[in-house]
Amino acid sequence: MTPPRTPQIPVVVLAGFLGSGKTTLLNHLLRNRAGTRIGVIVNDFGAIEIDAMTVSGQVGSTVSLGNGCLCCAVDASELDTFLETLTRPSARLDVIVIEASGLAEPQELVRMLLASDNPHILYGGLVEVVDAAEFDRIRQRHPEIDRHLAVADLVVLNKTDRVGEAERERLRAAVAELSGPAAVISAVHGRIDPELLFDPALRPDHEDKVRQLTFEDLLREEAPDGHDDHLHASYESVDFTSDIPMDPRRFMEFLDSRPDGLYRIKGFADFGEGDRDHTYALHAVGRFLRFVPRPWARGERRLTQLVMIGAGIDAAALSAGLAACRADGAERADIADVERAMWGVLRYVQEQAPEPEVFDAHGTADPREAAAEA
């Protein structure tokens, strides 16, 4: 089950100290994007933007922020300028990745995104890349890595091929202790499954019939079996579907206490008598949570459909926990109590981004063209 595309574009922050493998991971995502259009903001430190040159040519919209660390800005105005450019309908992007400087404070970048007034973006998570072979030495030189791990939504323990199995398990346990509820996955050469971070875009067939040859096509020709099936083994995905409405109070208790390692939750929730007119799109990354209500379509089957993605999670326990959130007959009969419980959901409601207006030669908005552009 894949939720339909929304006008809001997830923005993922890719962080990690110098040499951890951020650019390698980003290049891997670009090589294995499966048709997904990725916009990249490269936040280099210094006048010579080595990382930007490394990424250059592999994606349609690469915006480089040089001459200093972006997170040192007093406000988010500069970041908002670039995000405004990348979120224009003409860019047709599906996801935006900010590759932070190795000297950046990732929590400040996250703060900027959450404080942004851009209605077309959605927080997509903070991914912290850690060099397994150098972790102890980096922690001695940069003790602030503990703080960075504490605010991460997903930790990629990279370069695990350079350490033995016992050392790998020790490092994984140490990183997990520092990162708390964040999911921790191991990787070699930054190879993680892109579906951990974003959903593959579904394109109409005619879009791929006539187009420019891409970097991804060239790599596919060089290595036709380049996508490694074992990437899926680093995480687990759990599907949940129910034709019984969810009790909003129980469901919020489940979300507030979701287990460690559960990285993403996506899908739709039906709250029955709590709101008969709307289904609620759910987007959760780490501790971040948003609901977006939309009217039920005529004839649409009223279901709760959720997908949960994480590492080291108990699939059976998650499914049982969600099943326990369903409203029984007695609860559904107490409409007033259900409506009161909906306030817990409404605290996390975010309205959909407004549709762009397209004007004709007379300056009159054409809603059909606007819908087509979106």
Side-chain angles (χ1 to χ4, degrees):
M1 184 275 298
T2 301
R5 189 176 176 184
T6 168
Q8 291 179 305
I9 301 173
V11 181
V12 178
V13 176
L14 183 60
F17 281 88
L18 296 169
S20 61
K22 298 187 304 299
T23 301
T24 302
L25 191 154
L26 176 57
N27 283 323
H28 167 74
L29 294 177
L30 297 176
R31 290 184 177 106
N32 297 278
R33 59 190 179 85
T36 301
R37 294 187 174 97
I38 305 175
V40 180
I41 297 177
V42 179
N43 171 214
D44 283 331
F45 188 88
I48 302 177
E49 296 161 356
I50 303 300
D51 287 351
M53 289 188 285
T54 303
V55 173
S56 179
Q58 298 186 26
V59 67
S61 301
T62 301
V63 180
S64 178
L65 306 181
N67 300 319
C69 178
L70 173 65
C71 72
C72 295
V74 175
D75 56 41
S77 59
E78 186 181 14
L79 178 60
D80 280 335
T81 299
F82 290 109
L83 289 175
E84 182 64 30
T85 300
L86 292 177
T87 56
R88 289 173 182 167
S90 58
R92 303 175 69 201
L93 294 179
D94 301 296
V95 63
I96 296 171
V97 178
I98 300 177
E99 185 190 356
S101 158
L103 302 177
E105 285 289 342
Q107 64 267 37
E108 290 303 311
L109 289 171
V110 172
R111 180 189 62 79
M112 289 179 180
L113 289 175
L114 296 179
S116 174
D117 292 328
N118 189 327
H120 298 287
I121 67 170
L122 192 66
Y123 177 58
L126 168 61
V127 180
E128 182 77 15
V129 185
V130 173
D131 183 341
E134 299 292 330
F135 176 70
D136 291 330
R137 284 183 285 275
I138 290 175
R139 197 178 179 198
Q140 288 179 351
R141 293 196 303 269
H142 300 284
E144 61 269 26
I145 193 175
D146 291 10
R147 184 172 66 250
H148 296 183
L149 288 169
V151 297
D153 300 302
L154 173 68
V155 178
V156 177
L157 186 61
N158 196 27
K159 305 183 183 181
T160 52
D161 57 320
R162 296 176 56 189
V163 298
E165 183 176 353
E167 176 67 358
R168 185 163 57 247
E169 291 304 315
R170 182 191 72 82
L171 290 168
R172 184 181 179 87
V175 168
E177 183 178 0
L178 293 169
S179 59
V184 179
I185 62 171
S186 299
V188 176
H189 301 301
R191 293 196 297 264
I192 67 171
D193 196 317
E195 290 191 37
L196 262 171
L197 305 183
F198 51 80
D199 300 324
L202 300 177
R203 304 286 177 202
D205 292 339
H206 66 80
E207 288 197 19
D208 288 327
K209 289 182 179 178
V210 180
R211 61 178 174 81
Q212 183 179 1
L213 187 68
T214 67
F215 187 83
E216 183 183 21
D217 295 325
L218 297 175
L219 287 171
R220 188 179 295 113
E221 290 181 6
E222 293 176 3
D225 298 322
H227 183 71
D228 298 326
D229 291 335
H230 72 266
L231 295 178
H232 299 280
S234 63
Y235 71 92
E236 299 166 88
S237 178
V238 181
D239 295 346
F240 175 83
T241 301
S242 173
D243 57 0
I244 301 175
M246 307 298 280
D247 175 71
R249 183 175 289 108
R250 289 183 182 177
F251 190 49
M252 291 310 302
E253 289 174 354
F254 172 87
L255 293 176
D256 288 340
S257 60
R258 51 193 185 272
D260 294 355
L262 184 56
Y263 174 55
R264 293 178 65 200
I265 308 177
K266 58 184 180 178
F268 297 88
D270 172 21
F271 291 110
E273 297 298 338
D275 188 342
R276 297 296 302 169
D277 298 326
H278 296 88
T279 179
Y280 284 72
L282 184 157
H283 169 78
V285 177
R287 299 293 102 182
F288 176 84
L289 173 64
R290 281 289 183 272
F291 286 103
V292 180
R294 73 161 172 81
W296 290 102
R298 181 176 298 178
E300 181 179 0
R301 190 179 177 192
R302 302 199 171 203
L303 295 172
T304 292
Q305 296 177 288
L306 301 171
V307 176
M308 296 165 285
I309 300 172
I313 56 178
D314 186 334
L318 285 174
S319 297
L322 282 172
C325 295
R326 294 179 294 188
D328 60 29
E331 289 167 333
R332 282 181 283 169
D334 192 351
I335 298 176
D337 182 63
V338 173
E339 290 178 343
R340 285 192 298 270
M342 278 298 295
W343 283 107
V345 175
L346 298 178
R347 289 186 298 128
Y348 295 96
V349 161
Q350 179 180 9
E351 296 298 330
Q352 281 279 26
E355 298 292 345
E357 289 188 335
V358 178
F359 294 90
D360 60 22
H362 303 287
T364 304
D366 186 338
R368 292 170 301 176
E369 289 187 11
E373 180 71 17

